Amino acid sequence: MRLHYALRSVLFATPAVLIATGAFAQGETCGTAQVITGPGVYQADGPATGGGAVGGCISASANADWYVYTPSFTGIAQITSCHPMNAPFKDTELSVLTGTCGSLTCVGWNDDTPCSGVIFPSFLQFNVVSGESYYIQWDDRWGHASFYWQLTECYGAVEGLTYMDNNSNGVWDSTETVHPTMLQIDPGAMHHYSSGHPYVFCSDSGSYTITVPNPPLYHTAVPASQSYTVNAQGTVVNGMDFAFQPIPGIYDGEVSLWGWNPWIGHDNTYHINYQNLGTETLQSQVVMTVDPLLGFVSSTPAPTSVVGQVVTWDLGTLALDASGGIHVVLHCDSTVAPDTAMVNTVDLLTTQTDIAPLNNHDELLGHASTSWDPNGKDVDRIALTTDQVSNGQSVEYTVHFQNTGTLPAVNVVVKDPFDSDWDLNGFEMIGATHPYQISVDDQMLIISFPGIMLPDSASDPLGSIGGFSYRLKAKTTSIPGTLLLNHADIYFDFNAPVATNTTVTEVNAPESISEQAYANGFSIYPSPTNGSAYLLWHGDDAMNASINIIDATGRIVLNKNVSALHRDRTIDLDFSTLANGSYTLRITTEKQVRIGTVMVQR
């Protein structure tokens, strides 16, 4: 398969194309082309039959799917088969022609375009005139299978590249990586997540400036900004590139650990993500210390060594901007008591002196469970002070999903809307269980898993689970009382979306936390609660804690034992069986007793 890159508003002068006619079904010839009324997502049934012998703009092909599109505006149209509903391998070929059947002229064509998540898709961007008909042909030169394609209408379009300019020459070299990052477009504080090669977004008319609010650590964005003007419909602005040039001599690695509560009596998968954030190569290894109540089963890739509860992976040399993931399977024994606290930790060890050792360590606290919500969302912080918000403290989210149907899920798409209190410039992807495709535009995060082929839970309980994790920051203008809400909608193929729970993180004034919560050593959120709540521990790590809920008569109505309380970590509490009213919450550890109150109100 050859890889050429012919697209982007280029007119190819070709002779008129003569289309054969005959007894073909709807959409199989120019004369029977399906009418496209406007922008949207369409399904091609696969060009396995029909009339495409002339091959449109490119070369001979036996069959084709035909569509006719007549825009009601003058501007730019974009057509792509780089769509999240397509499997990873969808080799398509696209032609766009204008004129009348029997006398068509090529407008443009495309075969292979770089795309995150789909191999060998097509993309074409071309100028359109209101009222003129454009014939869209998907031919069978490279494939016959059905697929999805999308039509978008733009006043203007902007294109560029964000990349790691390791040699600081201001030119993207083939050995340098394309680096996803959030772009901000002003005026309007609009956002676009640059994850493509190149990135492309639609633009209204006017003059705008693009900036990179958070370039990669220890790198400088060159130039600092890019300005453009769209003063006429159909304007295409090229070359809005940003080179991330390194500050030499910096060693910094990062590691993250994420997953879900261990399921008693089952294997559970945990995910380690690591990255070289610095500007020099790193000699490193990852070391995971497994909780004594869990047993190591396997990992991908396989570990270098397993000694007791310590599992090690030698990473060798990590190149600049190199990253990777390790999927670890741990078994939770059937004898473990429900709600038992467990802690797994991970460390990134380097032979060089790391400039920021704090991000070389991560830990994941969980509680042994007998069941769990297969489609849900977790947050690591239910409270932030305004000082933490000002200092850019991130909130970490994990979304998990499971195919509980009876057949494999071919595609999974997760839509995660952000409310206006979130600062999209602080978005940072941590990792995912499967290859993914991501977009962030306006206030919507869409993560797609095309061709995931997620097994059903009955045939493969562990393999039927997927998920991802990311970080987000609140706007620095957030005031006490601000509730940072977050939920996700999960789409399995063509089924109705499955909504996750809504997480809540509250912004508080520092004094309210210190005077109320820190005096007790813990916080309860939300209070009043209608059933579910979180206990956030503010003190030093404490072992063997007993949590008692006491009613007005002094009777213990609920009790929960945990093996450990960790600073700034949460414990789930369930008050759903309690009547409305005020209760005393008493926490007893090996060294101290802490008292607080909680209100139940429905």
Side-chain angles (χ1 to χ4, degrees), residues 435-457:
Y436 62 92
Q437 181 177 334
I438 182 173
S439 69
V440 184
D441 285 291
D442 298 323
Q443 296 293 124
M444 177 70 75
L445 164 68
I446 300 177
I447 295 187
S448 309
F449 298 89
I452 188 174
M453 296 303 296
L454 198 67
D456 64 271
S457 56

Side-chain angles (χ1 to χ4, degrees), residues 370-402:
T370 54
S371 63
W372 69 307
D373 185 349
N375 301 290
K377 187 162 199 173
D378 302 322
V379 63
D380 71 333
R381 293 178 180 272
I382 61 172
L384 287 173
T385 68
T386 50
D387 287 347
Q388 289 175 316
V389 171
S390 298
N391 292 331
Q393 175 66 58
S394 294
V395 179
E396 188 170 310
Y397 288 99
T398 300
V399 176
H400 52 83
F401 52 82
Q402 184 176 32

Side-chain angles (χ1 to χ4, degrees), residues 533-566:
Y534 298 95
L535 182 152
L536 177 63
W537 183 248
H538 299 298
D540 294 333
D541 290 358
M543 307 303 293
N544 299 323
S546 177
I547 303 172
N548 295 321
I549 310 300
I550 304 170
D551 67 11
T553 68
R555 181 171 59 96
I556 297 177
V557 292
L558 284 178
N559 177 73
K560 183 169 187 172
N561 296 316
V562 296
S563 62
L565 292 170
H566 293 275

Side-chain angles (χ1 to χ4, degrees), residues 128-160:
V128 297
V129 177
S130 178
E132 184 172 339
S133 294
Y134 296 87
Y135 289 88
I136 302 165
Q137 176 190 287
W138 297 96
D139 68 50
D140 73 338
R141 181 173 174 81
W142 305 113
H144 304 277
S146 64
F147 59 92
Y148 293 88
W149 61 277
Q150 184 168 3
L151 172 67
T152 303
E153 295 177 340
C154 310
Y155 187 95
V158 179
E159 304 173 1

Side-chain angles (χ1 to χ4, degrees), residues 6 19 33 38 59-60 101 143 153 194 219 235 250 280 285 319 321 343 369 405 434 479 482 492 520 547:
I19 304 298
S59 55
C101 293
E153 295 177 340
S194 164
H219 289 75
T235 300
I250 296 177
E280 305 290 344
Q285 62 179 201
D321 199 41
V343 181
S369 62
H434 299 78
I479 62 174
T482 300
F492 295 90
N520 300 332
I547 303 172

Side-chain angles (χ1 to χ4, degrees), residues 120-287:
F120 302 139
S122 306
F123 176 94
L124 187 66
Q125 180 170 283
F126 56 99
N127 295 321
V128 297
V129 177
S130 178
E132 184 172 339
S133 294
Y134 296 87
Y135 289 88
I136 302 165
Q137 176 190 287
W138 297 96
D139 68 50
D140 73 338
R141 181 173 174 81
W142 305 113
H144 304 277
S146 64
F147 59 92
Y148 293 88
W149 61 277
Q150 184 168 3
L151 172 67
T152 303
E153 295 177 340
C154 310
Y155 187 95
V158 179
E159 304 173 1
L161 191 66
T162 57
Y163 64 96
M164 304 298 283
D165 189 12
N166 295 333
N167 57 12
S168 298
N169 67 348
V171 177
W172 180 69
D173 302 314
S174 59
T175 57
E176 295 172 335
T177 58
V178 174
H179 188 85
T181 192
M182 188 68 72
L183 304 175
Q184 181 167 315
I185 303 100
D186 291 298
M190 298 171 289
H191 292 86
H192 178 79
Y193 192 68
S194 164
S195 59
H197 172 236
Y199 70 81
V200 180
F201 64 83
C202 292
S203 177
D204 290 333
S205 61
S207 296
Y208 299 90
T209 299
I210 309 173
T211 56
V212 182
N214 291 303
L217 281 175
Y218 321 118
H219 289 75
T220 303
V222 179
S225 64
Q226 291 271 29
S227 296
Y228 71 90
T229 298
V230 174
N231 51 22
Q233 284 186 321
T235 300
V236 179
V237 179
N238 298 292
M240 296 290 99
D241 298 348
F242 290 92
F244 301 131
Q245 298 182 351
I247 301 171
I250 296 177
Y251 299 93
D252 184 17
E254 179 184 55
V255 69
S256 298
L257 174 64
W258 57 282
W260 305 281
N261 283 329
W263 190 6
I264 297 173
H266 294 81
D267 289 345
N268 303 267
T269 302
Y270 295 83
H271 309 280
I272 301 171
N273 291 95
Y274 57 85
Q275 184 176 4
N276 180 4
L277 300 175
T279 58
E280 305 290 344
T281 59
L282 280 176
Q283 297 293 324
S284 56
Q285 62 179 201
V286 168
V287 178

